[in-house]
Amino acid sequence: MRRSALLMVLVMLAGTVPGDEKPAAPRIYAYADLYSGTVHLVRDGTAVDSMPGDYPAFTSTGRFLVTSTREKIFAMDVTTGAVHERALTFLAPAGCQVSRSLVGDEVMLVAPTLRRFRLPDLTEAGPVAAALPARLPGCVLGEAGGDVIVLVSNRSGRQIHRVDADGTTRQVGPEPLTPPGSHSAPADILLTVAAGARLAYLEDNAAVVHVLDLETGVDTVPSTAALGGPGPAVEMFVEDMWWSSAGVLHAMIQTEELGEEYRLCRVAGGAWEPVPTGDWEYVRDRPGGGRLFVERSRPYGLYEDGPGGTRLIAESVSGIVTPPPSGPFAQ
């Protein structure tokens, strides 16, 4: 049975500029606790602030951390630790994570029209005049080139739409994105704007990975020949798929030859290839050196691995995230 995806990306915030007397900016990321429904902000290896929620995400500027429960949205200022909250007056479609609906320093939700909430106080800024299909549930996946990327669903499958600043809306990619009856979910679609605006998504019960170029509309399937199969149709399961800050697609992949084990892989030259690691469950390279990883066995310990050795940061970790290296906090 396919395990729940654990999405986690790491970025280390900018250091001191030569000649600048200000101290180096802290290394910041966040993790979700497996059991308590709490998100913790980590600064320089220490959990310093927390708030309720699950599936956390940082805004593209790195200024705010956003998460949610079924009833509320929460936003934290990563500098001060101050937390703002807002009650949700509607339910997002199943599988839509509020934390993935970040556009700049706003939260954008489809309910059923596009609505904007400014950060950090989550005041509503008014709807966006988008020409989305009527009466279809929608999930905001993020932004690309200033456009809002929206996933909509109906009985025929799923569609990807781009909405620009004046509300002009156009569909991108295959029609439908995934076949009717596919077991993929909105949470299985990952957006990156590094090295080009692209989506990675799963279909056919997470056994096939696609990469959709949001500029050209070209949809490709990376080859799995190097993972023990004859070609792109090798049966596999994907857990914890993510884009690196350089725009390289990574995943923990299970194939028939591995049994219940997963291994770290990346896409290079249009094909998946294994990446050597230790006996780890989830792995992220840190800018400036070192890695984060979660051990395979319980209690799902999160470790920092760097020049000074390996340190246990927390146990019972179900997710860890930081923004891509962009904005004022970029390396």
Side-chain angles (χ1 to χ4, degrees), residues 103-115:
V103 178
D105 280 344
E106 293 183 332
V107 177
M108 298 193 70
L109 302 175
V110 183
T113 58
L114 273 173
R115 296 166 61 181

Side-chain angles (χ1 to χ4, degrees), residues 31-40 50-54 69 316 318:
Y31 70 86
D33 186 274
L34 183 61
Y35 301 112
S36 69
T38 304
V39 170
H40 300 270
S50 62
M51 61 182 172
D54 204 349
T69 63
S316 302
S318 65

Side-chain angles (χ1 to χ4, degrees), residues 260-275:
E260 293 297 318
E261 295 298 317
Y262 284 76
R263 60 183 167 187
L264 177 62
C265 301
R266 66 186 174 201
V267 174
W272 288 103
E273 65 178 21
V275 178

Side-chain angles (χ1 to χ4, degrees), residues 128-217:
V128 176
L132 293 171
R135 296 182 298 279
L136 292 183
C139 300
V140 177
L141 302 178
E143 66 177 326
D147 295 346
V148 181
I149 307 302
V150 182
L151 172 74
V152 297
S153 304
N154 61 18
R155 293 180 180 178
S156 298
R158 295 186 172 94
Q159 305 167 348
I160 294 292
H161 293 262
R162 292 186 67 149
V163 182
D164 69 15
D166 66 5
T168 301
T169 306
R170 62 186 177 93
Q171 186 179 339
V172 183
E175 169 61 44
L177 187 71
T178 56
S182 170
H183 296 284
S184 62
D188 293 327
I189 299 179
L190 306 174
L191 172 66
T192 180
V193 293
R198 291 168 294 163
L199 285 173
Y201 66 93
L202 307 176
E203 59 101 351
D204 193 17
N205 199 25
V208 179
V209 178
H210 293 247
V211 176
L212 172 63
D213 188 310
L214 291 173
E215 299 299 333
T216 65

Side-chain angles (χ1 to χ4, degrees), residues 30-40 50-57 65-76 83-85 88 97-99 316 318-319 321:
Y31 70 86
D33 186 274
L34 183 61
Y35 301 112
S36 69
T38 304
V39 170
H40 300 270
S50 62
M51 61 182 172
D54 204 349
Y55 300 107
L65 175 66
V66 175
T67 187
S68 64
T69 63
R70 285 184 60 85
E71 297 83 18
K72 293 182 178 181
I73 308 172
F74 297 87
M76 177 188 292
V83 176
H84 298 262
E85 63 181 66
L88 281 171
Q97 299 167 13
V98 168
S99 58
S316 302
S318 65
V321 291

